[in-house]
Amino acid sequence: MTGDLPGMIPEGRGSGRGWRAALATLAFAVTALVIYALFSSGFGRIPRPVEEPPEPVAVVTPTPATKGASVAGRISTSEAGLAVVSDDFWLAYLPGGLERIGGGVIESEPGVEAGWARFGSAGRFVEAQVEHGSVAADWQSYRARITVLDARATTVRGKPAVVGRHPDGGRVIAWLERVGTGAWIRVSESLGKELVAVAASVQAPVGD
């Protein structure tokens, strides 16, 4: 029989087609493997921006006040809660709303130095004075120096004192802080109930 039967593929031709199919499959598999490897390595991805570490935050440590430094020189009245009358005499309490409206160092009489201050607002006031010298040698001599109407004996932080009305109006309290130092505080009538609290808040280190 000389011709090919219908539906039969010659052996050589069928073998060639099989090899081509196998090679195509192998090429497809290799291509897929290469593509997978490229994407797995990150090739072609948009690089993420490098995040810089945050800058360190500066921590401010308060500087302690120098021991023995002048209070008036290193701290303000509003920050410290102190109302300075003189370098060695301060009020740690004042009724709210008062501002310093006067004060300084004066020579109340020859040989007697006095520091004074006045704080006021809207008809209210607190006035304080501290005196150093022979006028405050003892309580009797200092008491005789201060005019107090309707006087009543009392104490200020354990010190002998007298409280009453001031000749020019308002309430007043006077006391001997220590030998050689006397003080008085006067307030308006509207602040009469605050007088003792203001006097009790006095800060007066020992030593002139």
Side-chain angles (χ1 to χ4, degrees):
M1 190 176 291
T2 58
D4 294 335
L5 294 176
M8 296 183 63
I9 299 174
E11 184 178 350
R13 188 184 300 175
S15 176
R17 289 180 179 176
W19 278 106
R20 284 197 296 273
L23 288 173
T25 301
L26 180 61
F28 177 78
V30 170
T31 302
L33 183 62
V34 170
I35 292 174
Y36 175 78
L38 288 174
F39 276 97
S40 297
S41 65
F43 178 79
R45 295 180 184 176
I46 299 175
R48 294 181 179 180
V50 178
E51 295 183 0
E52 297 182 357
E55 296 182 359
V57 178
V59 178
V60 179
T61 303
T63 304
T66 304
K67 185 176 181 180
S70 169
V71 170
R74 65 177 169 83
I75 203 163
S76 72
T77 300
S78 58
E79 292 174 342
L82 298 176
V84 178
V85 178
S86 69
D87 288 342
D88 60 351
F89 193 90
W90 325 295
L91 305 178
Y93 168 73
L94 275 179
L98 301 182
E99 297 181 357
R100 189 183 182 102
I101 56 177
V105 178
I106 61 174
E107 189 176 15
S108 55
E109 63 181 59
V112 179
E113 183 181 88
W116 72 280
R118 185 180 174 92
F119 308 87
S121 175
R124 304 182 307 151
F125 68 84
V126 171
E127 192 173 58
Q129 181 166 300
V130 55
E131 297 179 289
H132 304 290
S134 58
V135 294
D138 53 50
W139 171 233
Q140 287 74 22
S141 59
Y142 192 67
R143 168 66 186 88
R145 175 181 175 80
I146 306 297
T147 301
V148 179
L149 304 179
D150 299 329
R152 178 170 56 87
T154 184
T155 60
V156 173
R157 304 184 340 274
K159 317 290 177 59
V162 63
V163 63
R165 294 186 298 107
H166 193 278
D168 295 329
R171 304 287 294 176
V172 64
I173 188 169
W175 72 97
L176 188 74
E177 181 61 33
R178 58 180 177 270
V179 175
T181 300
W184 57 261
I185 295 175
R186 175 191 174 200
V187 301
S188 59
E189 289 289 352
S190 58
L191 295 177
K193 293 182 179 180
E194 302 277 11
L195 177 60
V196 174
V198 173
S201 77
V202 165
Q203 304 288 319
V206 176
D208 294 327

